[in-house]
């Protein structure tokens, strides 16, 4: 009997030791990777509620949004952005209905990219992305497996041309992946927007006095790599808010934030206990490190991360790399205020490593970044990742919040040339380099803006050689 | 009692008159961040001599309205586009790199009606004259629609400082356009007009 009891006690101790060791392994894995195999453990040991293991799948749609939606009839164009109610309607219809539908099927026809200009001259609704989204990521985002025949390599632009088919229950859609054009006929089911909605969109926008746009290359001596639209008449103008920006209070580098664990909670999250800190009051940065991870937070709000061991992944999985990047960002998203973080580029480097660049946007208006006054635009958030983990990150962390009600500004192209460029940057007109990469309203901030500042909208003009920033003029003077 | 009432009224009056200054504006609180001299540039820059269209028509009527008047050289290359959904509306525009802030370009618009050229006015500015430094544009409503109905539009361009001595092909550009167009799709037009009624 006594022996039985002893054995039972030993067994119970053994079982609890095994459970404890499994928990410890889980904690160790949680700290080393951006994914945690034991969800319940993260909940038990989760610190300030920002779980290390986010449900990225529910957040991915934040990143998969168009750069612009343009409605075109002949040479007249109207641009939608996220502030327009039609933007959300159209995009959700495309994302949730059309894309899953076309992924599974073969295109009706494949056309050379030279025909893109002709296709976009039809009466159409055009969705443009900043980059050509790789098809692997599209499949993950749409949660749809492609059919046996893989068609497009990616999606750079989508065109819906409702006039090309008289049948009210069929819509014609073109996908452009920078190499070829893929034409599809899609049956419009009940959950789709009616075809009539796309046909009448231009009339709806005209009735709302949305400025009519023209292609820059057709109304001026300038050319552009991609289509740039300008307004020759802009009615009452376009509305923009003043934006407040600065380094988030929680991560301002000072002794108080270190002792209160504010910085650790917001940057290191669940890794804060395992990383040792190196900080002195006079230093310009704090370093957190262990054998595998190195975090450095500078007083100017730059966060650097490096996975120290050299690593190579045999698996080339762009969607896994993207997912890791998104997870890293989403765990710290609360720091950027009202701003959106949008994908700017994704390029493969060596050894199955992807360099992924992001930028900020606020209500569809880009917020550009420069390292210093006079420097060109660069990415505030660059991540290198492979299929297994984040390897490096450099992030200029700022919050961006709308400060007041929007005001009307002139976006008239003729006024920009006649009244602003001729007196501020005449070299734009005089230069032989007439190729524009960018000509649009946006906001601009640079690294030296440490204290809270207000940003007003500017014209952001980029040629091959330089970036120019010209404040938008208020409508009505 | 009366004294108390009077005292009360006087107090209220004094308080009211003192508080007027509270509502006084302290000037614009909008920070000048981002506003540079550009704002000044948007003020009326039409300083100096105004060009009168009627004076020009009187002085240069023969060359402006001559049947065969057309220049072979261009000061500014002009193009046009139609503006949906307006049936008659067209936009004329042109850019030049040869500009001088002190010597802007002048553009005059005319359309032939009953054999004579009449002023073709901008739909917003209500004038047929455009004065700009390097980019000229105007939005006008043409007068004839239909496949066989031609709009004969004449665009006249010169530099402001040359206004006293204009010579065709030297410092005066006259460009003629013959423009025909059809109605936009009638279904689209009907829908648009219905929307206008109910908006």
């Amino acid at each position: 009997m006594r022996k039985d009891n002893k054995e039972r006690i030993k067994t119970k101790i053994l079982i609890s030791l095994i459970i404890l060791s499994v928990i410890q392994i889980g904690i160790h894995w949680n700290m080393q990777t951006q994914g945690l195999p034991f969800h319940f453990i993260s909940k038990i040991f989760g610190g300030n509620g920002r779980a290390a293991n986010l449900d990225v799948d529910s957040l991915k749609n934040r990143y998969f949004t168009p750069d612009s939606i343009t409605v075109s009839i002949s040479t007249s164009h109207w641009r939608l952005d996220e502030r327009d109610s039609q933007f959300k309607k159209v995009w959700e219809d495309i994302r949730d209905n059309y894309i899953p539908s076309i992924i599974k099927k073969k295109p009706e026809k494949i056309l050379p990219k030279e025909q893109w200009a002709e296709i976009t001259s039809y009466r159409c609704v055009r969705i443009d992305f900043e980059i050509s989204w790789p098809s692997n990521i599209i499949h993950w985002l749409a949660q749809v497996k492609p059919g046996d025949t893989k068609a497009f390599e990616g999606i750079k632009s989508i065109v819906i041309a409702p006039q090309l088919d008289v049948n009210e229950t069929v819509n014609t859609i073109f996908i452009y992946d920078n190499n070829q054009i893929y034409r599809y006929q899609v049956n419009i089911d009940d959950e789709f927007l009616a075809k009539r909605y796309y046909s009448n969109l231009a009339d709806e926008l005209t009735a709302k006095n949305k400025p009519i746009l023209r292609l820059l290359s057709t109304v001026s001596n300038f050319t552009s790599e991609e289509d740039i639209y300008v307004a020759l008449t802009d009615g009452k103008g376009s509305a923009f808010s003043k934006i407040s920006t600065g380094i988030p209070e929680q991560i301002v580098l000072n002794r108080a934030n270190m002792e209160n664990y504010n910085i650790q909670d917001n940057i290191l999250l669940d890794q804060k206990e395992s990383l040792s800190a190196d900080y002195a009051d006079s230093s310009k940065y704090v370093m957190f490190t262990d054998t595998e991870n190195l975090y450095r937070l500078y007083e100017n709000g730059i966060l650097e991360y490096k996975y120290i061991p050299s690593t190579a992944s045999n698996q080339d999985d762009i969607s896994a790399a993207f997912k890791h990047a998104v997870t890293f960002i989403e765990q710290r998203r609360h720091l950027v205020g009202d701003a959106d973080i949008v994908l700017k580029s994704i390029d493969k480097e060596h050894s199955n490593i992807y360099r992924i660049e992001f930028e900020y946007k606020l209500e569809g208006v880009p917020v550009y970044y420069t390292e210093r006054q006079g420097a060109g635009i660069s990415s505030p958030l660059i991540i290198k990742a492979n299929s297994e983990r984040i390897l490096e990150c450099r992030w200029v962390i700022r919050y961006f919040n709308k400060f007041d009600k929007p005001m009307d500004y002139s976006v008239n192209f003729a006024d920009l040339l006649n009244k602003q460029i001729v007196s501020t940057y005449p070299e734009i007109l005089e230069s032989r380099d007439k190729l524009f990469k960018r000509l649009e309203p946006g906001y601009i901030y640079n690294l030296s803006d440490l204290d809270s500042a207000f940003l007003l909208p500017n014209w952001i003009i980029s040629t091959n050689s330089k970036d120019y920033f010209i404040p938008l003029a208020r409508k009505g003077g | 009692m009366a004294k108390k009432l009077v005292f009360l009224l006087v107090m209220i009056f004094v308080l009211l008159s003192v508080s007027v200054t509270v509502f006084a504006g302290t000037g614009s609180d909008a920070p000048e961040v981002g506003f540079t001299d550009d704002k000044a540039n948007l003020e009326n820059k039409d300083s100096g001599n105004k060009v009168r269209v009627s004076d020009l028509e009187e002085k240069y009527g023969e060359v402006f309205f001559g049947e065969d008047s057309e220049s072979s050289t261009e000061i500014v290359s002009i193009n046009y586009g139609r503006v949906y959904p307006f049936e008659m509306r067209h936009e004329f525009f042109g850019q030049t790199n040869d500009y001088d802030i002190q010597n802007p370009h002048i553009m005059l618009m005319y359309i032939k009606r009953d054999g004579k050229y009449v002023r073709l006015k901008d739909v917003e500015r209500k004038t047929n004259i455009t004065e700009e430094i390097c980019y000229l544009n105007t939005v006008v409503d043409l007068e004839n629609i239909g496949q066989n109905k031609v709009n004969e539009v004449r665009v006249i361009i010169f530099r402001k400082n040359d206004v006293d001595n204009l010579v065709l092909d030297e410092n005066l550009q006259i460009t003629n356009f013959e423009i025909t167009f059809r109605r936009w799709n009638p279904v689209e037009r009907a829908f648009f007009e219905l929307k206008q009624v109910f908006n």
Side-chain angles (χ1 to χ4, degrees):
Chain A
M1 186 73 175
R2 234 189 193 174
K3 209 178 174 184
D4 277 347
N5 279 342
K6 270 188 185 169
E7 291 307 313
R8 277 201 197 108
I9 290 168
K10 280 184 201 171
T11 307
K12 282 176 188 168
I13 291 171
L14 203 57
I15 289 171
S16 35
L17 280 173
I18 289 170
I19 290 173
L20 266 173
S21 63
V22 165
I23 289 173
Q24 290 210 332
I25 289 171
I27 293 169
H28 178 74
W29 284 4
N30 175 40
M31 285 172 184
Q32 299 313 320
T33 70
Q34 277 67 49
L36 180 69
F38 309 113
H39 280 269
F40 67 91
I41 294 173
S42 68
K43 283 193 175 114
I44 293 167
F45 292 99
N48 50 10
R50 272 184 279 283
N53 215 26
L54 287 177
D55 181 12
V56 174
D57 284 344
S58 67
L59 297 165
K60 60 195 178 194
N61 283 333
R62 267 183 160 168
Y63 295 86
F64 188 41
T65 59
D67 186 45
S68 64
I69 295 179
T70 310
V71 182
S72 302
I73 293 182
S74 183
T75 55
S76 300
H77 310 275
W78 296 261
R79 194 149 201 180
L80 299 174
D81 60 42
E82 289 166 25
R83 295 169 290 177
D84 298 303
S85 57
Q86 298 92 342
F87 182 98
K88 192 168 179 243
K89 246 176 146 167
V90 167
W91 173 234
E92 284 178 358
D93 190 37
I94 304 281
R95 184 193 66 205
D96 298 338
N97 299 320
Y98 284 90
I99 290 180
S101 170
I102 62 175
I103 282 176
K104 291 183 210 158
K105 54 201 265 187
K106 259 178 88 168
E108 184 193 75
K109 214 170 181 181
I110 298 177
L111 304 163
K113 67 178 183 179
E114 288 73 25
Q115 287 193 21
W116 187 243
E118 186 195 330
I119 287 167
T120 50
S121 68
Y122 300 147
R123 184 187 183 108
C124 67
V125 177
R126 177 176 165 176
I127 294 94
D128 289 303
F129 298 93
E130 181 78 40
I131 63 161
S132 179
W133 281 83
S135 56
N136 287 344
I137 298 184
I138 301 283
H139 301 152
W140 171 61
L141 290 167
Q143 290 183 304
V144 175
K145 285 198 170 71
D148 291 331
T149 318
K150 188 182 163 190
F152 47 85
E153 293 299 318
I155 300 182
K156 177 73 173 82
S157 298
I158 302 173
V159 159
I160 298 215
Q163 309 294 310
L164 286 187
D165 194 307
V166 295
N167 193 335
E168 277 298 308
T169 58
V170 174
N171 230 339
T172 306
I173 182 170
F174 297 89
I175 301 290
Y176 177 54
D177 66 0
N178 278 338
N179 290 318
Q180 288 178 304
I181 305 167
Y182 306 83
R183 175 178 166 146
Y184 295 86
Q185 300 287 109
V186 178
N187 291 324
I188 299 173
D189 294 333
D190 291 338
E191 59 269 20
F192 284 55
L193 280 177
K195 185 171 176 176
R196 186 174 342 113
Y197 181 84
Y198 290 98
S199 305
N200 298 336
L201 204 45
D203 294 323
E204 188 177 329
L205 296 172
T206 313
K208 290 187 175 181
N209 290 320
K210 198 111 174 105
I212 299 173
L213 305 176
R214 304 277 186 199
L215 262 182
L216 175 73
S217 53
T218 61
V219 299
S220 72
N221 298 343
F222 304 128
T223 56
S224 56
E225 291 173 347
E226 304 201 346
D227 289 342
I228 293 178
Y229 297 97
V230 295
L232 295 187
T233 51
D234 68 342
K236 66 175 180 65
S238 287
F240 297 93
S241 298
K242 200 185 327 183
I243 293 180
S244 63
T245 184
I247 298 174
E249 228 176 273
Q250 312 95 304
I251 62 167
V252 170
L253 189 59
N254 55 41
R255 175 61 60 180
N257 273 341
M258 285 296 298
E259 287 177 355
N260 292 338
Y261 266 64
N262 279 339
I263 289 175
Q264 293 88 325
D265 286 342
N266 286 282
I267 297 294
L268 307 179
L269 309 171
D270 289 356
Q271 291 181 306
K272 64 187 175 195
E273 301 299 342
S274 67
L275 295 166
S276 57
D278 180 5
Y279 172 69
D281 285 337
S282 57
S283 63
K284 292 185 183 299
Y285 64 86
V286 57
M287 197 160 68
F288 301 95
T289 184
D290 62 14
T291 53
E292 292 186 335
N293 301 282
L294 169 66
Y295 289 86
R296 207 179 266 135
L297 177 68
Y298 292 83
E299 62 176 4
N300 58 11
I302 292 182
L303 169 67
E304 287 179 348
Y305 168 78
K306 191 170 173 57
Y307 181 70
I308 299 169
S310 63
T311 180
S313 169
N314 293 326
Q315 203 184 358
D316 181 10
D317 189 342
I318 191 173
S319 62
F322 180 69
K323 191 172 175 178
H324 289 313
V326 164
T327 306
F328 187 89
I329 296 169
E330 287 301 314
Q331 287 167 347
R332 297 159 183 86
R333 173 180 274 282
H334 59 282
L335 295 170
V336 303
D338 295 338
D340 294 312
I341 297 176
V342 297
L343 178 66
K344 185 183 161 186
S345 68
I346 182 164
D347 297 303
K348 187 172 175 183
E349 294 189 339
H350 55 92
S351 308
N352 298 329
I353 295 172
Y354 288 91
R355 177 189 167 99
I356 311 172
E357 295 187 11
F358 297 88
E359 57 189 17
Y360 293 112
K361 257 188 180 176
L362 191 64
E363 288 190 327
V365 183
V367 184
Y368 290 111
Y369 160 74
T370 61
E371 289 277 319
R372 60 191 176 283
Q373 293 273 14
I377 290 169
S378 53
S379 284
L381 174 48
I382 301 172
I383 289 178
K384 290 188 184 177
N386 60 16
S387 60
E388 292 175 18
R389 60 172 52 80
I390 299 286
L391 301 170
E392 280 180 40
C393 171
R394 183 180 188 270
W395 188 354
V396 181
I397 302 181
R398 295 286 188 274
Y399 68 81
F400 298 96
N401 295 322
K402 272 194 326 179
F403 184 72
D404 60 4
K405 279 193 305 193
M407 305 267 199
D408 289 329
Y409 291 84
S410 170
V411 291
N412 186 302
F413 176 67
D415 283 346
L416 170 64
L417 256 54
N418 288 317
K419 295 173 182 172
Q420 296 184 280
I421 287 183
V422 290
S423 50
T424 51
Y425 299 112
E427 66 263 32
I428 294 177
L429 298 173
E430 292 154 10
S431 164
R432 284 190 175 181
D433 175 17
K434 295 269 188 289
L435 183 67
F436 281 70
K437 285 161 48 179
R438 188 186 284 119
L439 197 160
E440 60 182 348
Y443 299 92
I444 185 76
Y445 73 101
N446 66 60
L447 197 57
S448 56
D449 295 335
L450 297 182
D451 300 326
S452 296
F454 292 115
L455 305 180
L456 291 170
N458 279 250
W459 282 107
I460 313 292
I461 302 172
S462 299
T463 63
N464 269 340
S465 47
K466 202 176 163 185
D467 297 313
Y468 301 88
F469 314 117
I470 302 175
L472 289 188
R474 285 270 288 275
K475 201 72 179 171
Chain B
M1 182 67 182
K3 278 186 197 168
K4 282 180 186 168
L5 265 173
V6 165
F7 173 75
L8 206 58
L9 283 170
V10 166
M11 274 295 294
I12 290 170
F13 176 77
V14 166
L15 280 171
L16 274 173
S17 52
V18 162
S19 63
V20 163
T21 56
V22 169
F23 297 111
T26 50
S28 168
D29 57 1
E32 290 303 300
V33 173
F35 283 113
T36 61
D37 290 340
D38 304 293
K39 190 173 180 201
N41 286 334
L42 268 184
E43 298 298 326
N44 185 5
K45 54 156 184 53
D46 192 16
S47 52
N49 298 328
K50 254 192 147 70
V51 173
R52 289 186 184 281
V53 178
S54 48
D55 292 345
L56 289 171
E57 288 171 348
E58 201 180 311
K59 186 171 181 180
Y60 298 108
E62 209 176 304
V63 66
F64 277 12
F65 306 126
E67 197 59 39
D68 299 325
S69 290
E70 188 159 17
S71 57
S72 50
T73 55
E74 279 185 333
I75 299 171
V76 180
S77 177
I78 295 290
N79 246 313
Y80 64 90
R82 200 166 169 206
V83 182
Y84 183 90
F86 305 95
E87 292 287 13
M88 317 302 277
R89 196 151 295 178
H90 285 69
E91 208 159 26
F92 289 79
F93 45 83
Q95 180 186 348
T96 177
N97 296 339
D98 178 18
Y99 66 89
D100 177 356
I101 293 176
Q102 306 305 324
N103 188 12
H105 292 85
I106 305 268
M107 177 169 74
L108 300 171
M109 300 289 295
Y110 293 92
I111 189 167
K112 204 177 228 180
R113 187 195 294 159
D114 299 327
K116 274 176 62 173
Y117 280 103
V118 297
R119 296 178 193 176
L120 183 56
K121 294 183 182 176
D122 186 281
V123 297
E124 296 275 323
R125 293 182 285 114
K126 308 297 183 206
T127 173
N128 75 325
I129 186 171
T130 302
E131 179 181 326
E132 295 290 3
I133 296 169
C134 64
Y135 192 91
L136 297 162
N137 84 298
T138 183
V139 180
V140 298
D141 282 336
L142 299 184
E143 297 188 351
N144 306 303
I145 190 165
Q147 196 137 4
N148 299 320
K149 305 271 179 69
V150 180
N151 295 275
E152 293 180 64
V153 174
R154 178 163 283 181
V155 181
I156 298 173
I157 296 174
F158 52 89
R159 295 263 203 164
K160 190 171 182 180
N161 291 355
D162 295 336
V163 71
D164 291 329
N165 187 23
L166 296 176
V167 178
L168 191 65
D169 274 329
E170 275 188 28
N171 53 15
L172 175 66
Q173 171 187 339
I174 295 181
T175 304
N176 295 321
F177 294 96
E178 289 183 359
I179 302 173
T180 56
F181 52 95
R182 298 185 317 182
R183 293 194 181 279
W184 297 110
N185 183 310
V187 171
E188 296 162 358
R189 288 296 305 128
F191 183 81
F192 176 73
E193 270 148 21
L194 259 174
K195 273 193 117 57
Q196 292 285 67
V197 166
F198 286 111
N199 270 353

